[in-house]
Every structure is written in structure tokens, then in C-alpha cells.
Amino acid sequence: MFFILATLSAFSVGLLVTPILIKFLKRMKIGDTPGGRKIHKSFIPSMGGISFVVAVGVTLAIWGWQFPLPDIRYLLGAIGLMFFVGLSDDLIELRATHKLLGQMVAVTLVVVASDIRIKDLHGFLGIGELNIIVSYAFSAFTLLALTNAFNLIDGLDGLAGTMACIVFAFLGSWFLINGLESYALLSFTFLGGILGFLVFNWHPAKIFMGDTGSLTLGFTMGALIIAFMERNSGLPDGSFLKFEPVFSVGIALMMFPLYDMARVFTRRISQGKAPMSPDKSHVHHFLMRMGLRHDQVTLILAGLQFVFIFLVFILRDFSDHLVLSVISILAIALGYRLDKVTVKYVKKKVAIQPKVLEIRALRVKQKKKIMVDKNGFKESRINLN
């Protein structure tokens, strides 16, 4: 009941703050205008991440005193720092080096100060305990990858928020069941705040979360996933909800962002482009080309995310070598099928559309008809006079 109340508190604050934020951002003209890679058709306020970060802060101030929050004080500070990195990027478009520097400071707070890191691979790929320097480097790279992978999927109404809700709901429940109450409280407050934001971010969106929100969410989820992986590995054998394929679970929780990032980077590099060059080759862009609405694409991808999580839950007693192979092959197969279906649909659509020359000839013909009609109208007026 306590965690339900905390979630409802965050939801209520998010629900109250977001419309105020929308009005303020519209007045200040801070947001995204249509054009280029933007697929919306009117000005939409951005920086909506402010609303659920405020919701989390207020909720933690109300309920957090009951738990030993000092054990996550560095994590909270790092989340705040990542929030300001995203906020600055939305306002003044930080240079890539400055943005990466800010992210690295936040990552260092989590990996070094909070000691939330991957310390042991537990036999995966034949590797056991990691050297401390290797552990710091690998954990920092993993957290940066998860953060920026999630940032890349924020291109559709409600998509990033929905994916985050799924992850926070899973992590919050797992932490609560295993007695990690401070992590559970953080997960559930984010869940409530995002749900309040989604009311206004669902298609047709009245506000976007921007880098302010997507970087904060990706970073928080990445840190909590690493914490989950290490805490899970420390559970005694036979414990309730202990996952043997712990790396597979971490990947499954972020399967869509990770797959989308790997897919997009591979396509761009194969075409001779820079990996970070913007385009419309993301999975959600392909689904939109098939005529699906924003909300339909979001629900489809959320459903697939549930499938991967359910799959690793069913296979929780098997090793990472098996489970990771299964989910990787499934993801690649689904992606390959998506490409085939999309290309076939687009070709069919192009085939039934009139050719450019036909359209031009039709326009010329219509223009001549209008001119003839106008001349005829003028002659009839002269005769009448």
C-alpha cells in the first residue's frame, strides 16, 4: 500500500505540473517546429521531462524519509546532473564533447561513488570476477550505451514513456520483493511521474519529453538495471525470482533501444554515413511508413517488449549463453521480417500511385480547363451586358 500511495503521489504531481509546463513553454516558444526529420505537423512544446522529474522530487520529499535513502544519495545526485545535461542540450544545444563530459561525470558518480557497477560476469563467456579498473570501464561504457540508446528512441508520441513504464514497473516490483526498498521507491516514483506525463504525451502529443526527459530516463533505468544485475547475482541459489541469465534480463529490459541503436548504426555505416548522422531509419519510422498511427506503433513495440521480458522470465533457470542467443536471434529475425514487409508495402504503394509525369500532365490539363472556364465565364458576362 505504501508504494501504491507513492506511485499515486508521483502520478498526481505529474498530472498537475504538466499542463502548467505546457502553457509556460508555449508562451516562451520553447519546443519543436515541424520540418526536416520531425514528423509532427505543428509546434509542440518540448522539455516535458521537467514534469516527471519534479514529480519524482516532490514524491521523494514526501515518502523518502522512511527509507535509508543515503545509500542512493550519489545516484540521486547523478540523476540530477544528467537532468541538467539534457535541459542544457534542449535550451542551447550543447557540443557533443560538452554533452559527453557531463554524462561522464554523472556516470562516474554512479559507478565509482555509488559503487553501482558490474563486478563479475559469473562465467559468461568464460569470464569471472573483473579487475576493478576493467569493472569501472565496462560499467561506464554499459551505462553510457543504455542512456544514449534510450535517447534515440524518443521520436514518437508516447513511445519512450511507455517503454520506460514497462522497465520501471518490472524493476520496482523485483526490488520490492527482494527487500531493496530505496531502489523500489525510486522506480515506482518514476513510474507514477511518467504515467502522469503520458496523459499529455500520448498521441496526439501536447508535449514532448526532449533530451531533458529521455537522457534522465535512460540514465536512471541503466543505473537501476546494473544495480539489479549485481543484486540478483548475490541472491542465494533457489531464491524466489533469481534469474540465472542476469545479462539476458538486462538486455531484454532494454531490448528495443539496444536493437534499434545497433540496427541504425549498422545501416548508416554500411551506407558510408557517420553512426550519429540523423535520418529516418529507426524501427518506428519503418512502421509509420506502413500507415500505422503513433499510438499503434507504440502499442506494437510495447507488446514486443513484453514478449522479450516474458521469454527471459520463462527461461530464468537457464544460462546466459542459451537465453541471450535465443532473444538475439528472435530480435534479428523480427527486424529482418519488418524490413521485408515494409519494403514490400512501400513498393506496392508506389506502384499504385500515379507517376510524376502523369501528375504533372494532370495538373497542366486542370490548369487549362480552369482558364477555359474563366474565359467562357467572361464571354457570357459580355453577352449578357
Side-chain angles (χ1 to χ4, degrees):
M1 181 58 69
F2 173 88
F3 289 93
I4 292 174
L5 291 174
T7 306
L8 290 175
S9 297
F11 173 76
S12 301
V13 174
L15 200 63
L16 293 171
V17 169
T18 307
I20 299 173
L21 182 63
I22 291 173
K23 190 171 183 179
F24 172 77
L25 292 174
K26 281 186 174 180
R27 183 172 296 178
M28 299 299 294
K29 296 181 180 180
I30 300 174
D32 285 345
T33 53
R37 294 185 305 112
K38 309 294 183 181
I39 55 179
H40 54 282
K41 298 179 180 179
S42 61
F43 175 83
I44 304 291
S46 188
M47 294 168 53
I50 294 173
S51 66
F52 52 76
V53 171
V54 169
V56 169
V58 171
T59 305
L60 288 177
I62 296 172
W63 302 99
W65 59 272
Q66 300 194 44
F67 296 112
L69 286 182
D71 69 338
I72 60 169
R73 63 185 182 275
Y74 295 115
L75 174 58
L76 293 176
I79 292 171
L81 178 57
M82 188 61 75
F83 166 75
F84 282 109
V85 171
L87 184 66
S88 300
D89 194 39
D90 280 334
L91 287 173
I92 60 175
E93 292 191 22
L94 293 174
R95 291 182 180 179
T97 53
H98 294 169
K99 188 175 179 180
L100 182 61
L101 179 62
Q103 292 181 2
M104 282 302 302
V105 175
V107 167
T108 302
L109 281 174
V110 170
V111 173
V112 179
S114 291
D115 201 37
I116 298 175
R117 57 189 173 91
I118 301 170
K119 303 172 184 176
D120 198 318
L121 296 190
H122 307 282
F124 180 58
L125 299 178
I127 303 172
E129 186 175 355
L130 298 176
N131 174 277
I132 189 166
I133 302 300
V134 176
S135 174
Y136 284 151
F138 181 61
S139 301
F141 172 79
T142 300
L143 186 50
L144 279 174
L146 293 176
T147 301
N148 289 287
F150 187 81
N151 186 40
L152 289 175
I153 70 166
D154 182 29
L156 211 64
D157 296 351
L159 179 58
T162 301
M163 292 296 177
C165 284
I166 295 171
V167 175
F168 281 122
F170 175 90
L171 291 173
S173 301
W174 190 91
F175 286 134
L176 180 59
I177 290 170
N178 287 281
L180 300 166
E181 294 175 328
S182 56
Y183 287 131
L185 179 62
L186 184 61
S187 300
F188 283 125
T189 52
F190 264 100
L191 173 62
I194 298 164
L195 286 172
F197 169 76
L198 272 177
V199 173
F200 303 93
N201 182 239
W202 195 254
H203 184 68
K206 299 177 180 66
I207 188 171
F208 298 147
M209 66 171 64
D211 282 356
T212 306
S214 58
L215 284 178
T216 304
L217 290 183
F219 179 75
T220 305
M221 286 187 292
L224 290 176
I225 286 172
I226 293 175
F228 154 77
M229 291 167 65
E230 283 305 300
R231 300 286 182 160
N232 176 84
S233 300
L235 293 176
D237 292 337
S239 298
F240 179 62
L241 278 187
K242 178 175 181 178
F243 291 85
E244 290 299 325
V246 62
F247 294 101
S248 301
V249 178
I251 290 174
L253 288 172
M254 294 285 277
M255 175 56 79
F256 172 59
L258 289 173
Y259 170 77
D260 187 61
M261 181 176 69
R263 177 179 178 276
V264 166
F265 283 8
T266 302
R267 288 176 65 90
R268 290 172 183 171
I269 293 171
S270 66
Q271 294 171 359
K273 301 178 182 177
M276 297 301 294
S277 59
D279 58 23
K280 288 187 176 182
S281 60
H282 293 278
V283 171
H284 54 267
H285 287 138
F286 271 60
L287 289 171
M288 289 286 289
R289 290 190 188 105
M290 295 176 63
L292 298 173
R293 300 191 310 267
H294 289 238
D295 51 344
Q296 292 174 326
V297 173
T298 297
L299 291 174
I300 289 171
L301 294 174
L304 290 174
Q305 185 70 32
F306 273 118
V307 169
F308 281 103
I309 294 175
F310 180 73
L311 190 58
V312 294
F313 180 81
I314 295 298
L315 301 174
R316 65 184 180 275
D317 295 326
F318 294 89
S319 69
D320 270 306
H321 296 93
L322 172 65
V323 180
L324 190 56
S325 299
V326 170
I327 63 174
S328 298
I329 291 171
L330 179 60
I332 293 171
L334 288 173
Y336 178 79
R337 180 61 181 166
L338 169 65
D339 287 350
K340 287 290 185 182
V341 171
T342 305
V343 170
K344 183 178 179 181
Y345 176 84
V346 171
K347 285 183 177 179
K348 184 178 179 181
K349 186 177 180 181
V350 170
I352 63 175
Q353 288 179 339
K355 303 295 184 291
V356 175
L357 293 177
E358 293 177 359
I359 295 173
R360 188 177 296 173
L362 181 62
R363 286 177 179 173
V364 171
K365 186 177 180 180
Q366 289 175 342
K367 189 174 180 180
K368 288 181 178 179
K369 186 176 183 303
I370 291 171
M371 292 177 65
V372 170
D373 290 343
K374 284 182 178 179
N375 291 333
F377 177 71
K378 287 180 181 178
E379 291 175 2
S380 65
R381 286 190 63 185
I382 292 171
N383 292 332
L384 286 172
N385 290 334

